Each structure stands twice: as C-alpha cells, then as structure tokens.
Amino acid sequence: MATDHVFEGRAERFRDRIYGTAKGKLRLELVWRDMCDQLPLAGNALRVWDAGAGLGQISQRLAAAGHRVILSEPSADMLALARQALPESVDCRQETLQAHVETLVEPYDLIVCHAVLEWLAEPQAAVQQLLACLKPGGHLSLLFYNVNAIALANMVKGNLYKVSREDFAGMAGSFTPPSPQKPDELVAFIQALRSEVISKRSVRFTYDLMPRALREERSLEDVMALEWQFGAREPYWQLGRYVHLVCRKAA
C-alpha cells in the first residue's frame, strides 16, 4: 500500500539541493508573485494555514505582510530549520495535513499547499480536505508537480520506452515525487467540488526546457520575465515543471 512521503532526516539536503539553487529561487519568486497578483494579501489580516510548509518561506512572507499563519510540517528536522527563520507570531506545528484537518477548530481565509500533493498516497482526497477547511469565499493556493512536464522532459532526452510506459513516478529516495499530477484532471476535480479555479500558471516551463549549459549563460531575471509572460497562457500553463492554481471556494 502506498504511503505519504515525509522528508525526515533530509532537511539540509533538501534545502541545499532544492531551495539553494536557481530552480528553487525561480519557483519561490514566481509563485509568490502569482499569489500577490491573485490573492487579497494587501487587505485585512487573513487567517492562513500553510499545509506541508517545508522550510516555511511562504509563511515567512505572509507573516511579514501581517497575516496570522499556522504552519504544519510533519518532518521534525524540516520544521526545526523553518523555525530558525520564522517570527514567533507563526504557530508552527509538527503534524501531517490529515492530522490538522481532524483537529480543525475554525476554517481559514487562505490555505497554502505547495509541492505536497505529489508526495501523498491520495492527492485528490487531500484536495477535498483542504477545500473543506476553507471559509466560504476563501482561497486555496495549490502548487503541484506536473506529469506533463515529466513526459516532455523524457521525450527531449530520448527516454522513449519510459514515456511509452508512462512511468513517471520517482524512485525511492530521490527528489522526484511518486505522484505527479495531471493539471486538467485536477482542475476538473476542483470544479466538481463547487470551487472556482481563478488562476492557472506554469512554474519553470522556460527554465526546464533550456539545456543546462544555457541556463548558466542566461540571467535568472530574463528567464523569470519569460516565465511570467507565457506562464498563464494556453497551452503553457499545463507544461511547467510545477503548476500553480489559485482556487476560490463557493460563497
């Protein structure tokens, strides 16, 4: 039986190999810009839950903007690193997404769930739980690993047998997730739950298509500008390594 993946004992490696790289910085800045563009972050303080927050970079920015943040992260060493950079106002809890749902007291104005679904045994069940934890009219910022991008990358590399088998799950112990998601199916699932998908954007489409040597020759600012220019258009939003959806629960 498949189980949820928790990054226990790998926090520093995760920080260095993901967030400490150009691709990690690009992902963070693009997602944050999209959140600022699509969500009511400049108004009254929101009650926010950052579900599976990792090192807490988004929580840090939300707290700095005056929002009331609860952070959930099941990995003890990941949570310890997050606490080092977070203000005391952020309520940090070592818990799974499912455990938090079971103890929910008051629904949220905003839920952030970034790069979590692809590590879960039942991603759609988690989405349903997240939406149930929102107030009517509340928002969900959902970032997930995109199976379309994995297929495209393997085609470019000539891994034709892998593509023909549609075998895109990461190997045990790797940083490639076991459950990459199909964007169109996830959008349809969310809409079936009476929630509106108000924004769809790819993250790391341009960057991941470029050969590694070219990535080092191009400025991150220029790559980010192209990512932003094309990321919300058809068909590009479905082709980034990650897809960021902003959803609104029915009022």
Side-chain angles (χ1 to χ4, degrees):
M1 179 182 293
T3 58
D4 295 349
H5 184 91
V6 177
F7 286 95
E8 196 63 71
R10 305 172 69 194
E12 292 187 1
R13 185 173 172 226
F14 189 87
R15 176 193 61 193
D16 297 340
R17 290 191 57 182
I18 304 297
Y19 292 118
T21 62
K23 64 182 181 182
K25 295 172 184 175
L26 187 66
R27 187 182 91 177
L28 178 62
E29 295 305 325
L30 284 169
V31 172
W32 178 248
R33 180 175 177 180
D34 202 28
M35 290 178 68
C36 292
D37 200 45
Q38 299 293 335
L39 294 166
L41 300 182
N44 296 330
L46 302 176
R47 188 168 186 268
V48 182
W49 173 31
D50 194 350
L55 299 181
Q57 293 98 329
I58 293 294
S59 285
Q60 187 176 359
R61 296 183 183 204
L62 288 168
H67 301 293
R68 297 173 290 128
V69 182
I70 294 175
L71 180 155
S72 296
E73 170 54 49
S75 167
D77 57 340
M78 196 80 80
L79 189 61
L81 284 179
R83 281 189 170 122
Q84 293 176 12
L86 289 168
E88 293 184 0
S89 62
V90 177
D91 182 357
C92 295
R93 306 179 183 182
Q94 186 184 353
E95 60 184 2
T96 64
L97 181 155
Q98 296 88 343
H100 186 87
V101 170
E102 290 176 0
T103 59
L104 181 70
V105 176
E106 180 185 352
Y108 293 97
D109 300 300
L110 169 64
I111 295 176
V112 177
C113 186
H114 291 173
V116 174
L117 289 189
E118 57 266 27
W119 300 102
L120 301 181
E122 298 181 353
Q124 288 193 349
V127 171
Q128 192 166 7
Q129 290 174 311
L130 291 167
L131 291 170
C133 293
L134 281 174
K135 294 178 180 178
H139 291 86
L140 169 64
S141 171
L142 187 66
L143 180 76
F144 58 90
Y145 205 70
N146 178 14
V147 73
N148 293 341
I150 305 306
L152 187 60
N154 278 281
M155 290 175 191
V156 171
K157 294 175 184 176
N159 297 332
L160 304 186
Y161 292 114
K162 186 179 181 71
V163 176
S164 67
R165 295 194 306 269
E166 300 192 36
D167 176 21
F168 304 124
M171 297 178 63
S174 76
F175 283 121
T176 301
S179 302
Q181 298 296 295
K182 296 179 179 179
D184 54 345
E185 289 187 4
L186 199 53
V187 167
F189 180 75
I190 291 168
Q191 291 171 335
L193 296 173
R194 295 182 64 250
S195 292
E196 180 185 4
V197 179
I198 63 175
S199 174
K200 301 174 288 190
R201 175 174 289 278
S202 71
V203 175
R204 282 177 41 201
F205 169 66
T206 303
Y207 181 86
D208 279 44
L209 279 182
M210 294 169 63
R212 291 181 183 273
L214 281 180
R215 293 175 191 172
E216 297 177 0
E217 296 177 2
R218 303 293 186 265
S219 75
L220 203 58
E221 290 75 18
D222 287 344
V223 173
M224 192 174 302
L226 272 183
E227 293 266 1
W228 189 258
Q229 181 178 343
F230 286 90
R233 298 183 189 177
E234 293 283 0
Y236 306 105
W237 76 266
Q238 294 200 62
L239 298 175
R241 184 57 58 105
Y242 291 86
V243 173
H244 183 225
L245 303 180
V246 177
C247 314
R248 182 166 53 221
K249 186 174 180 176

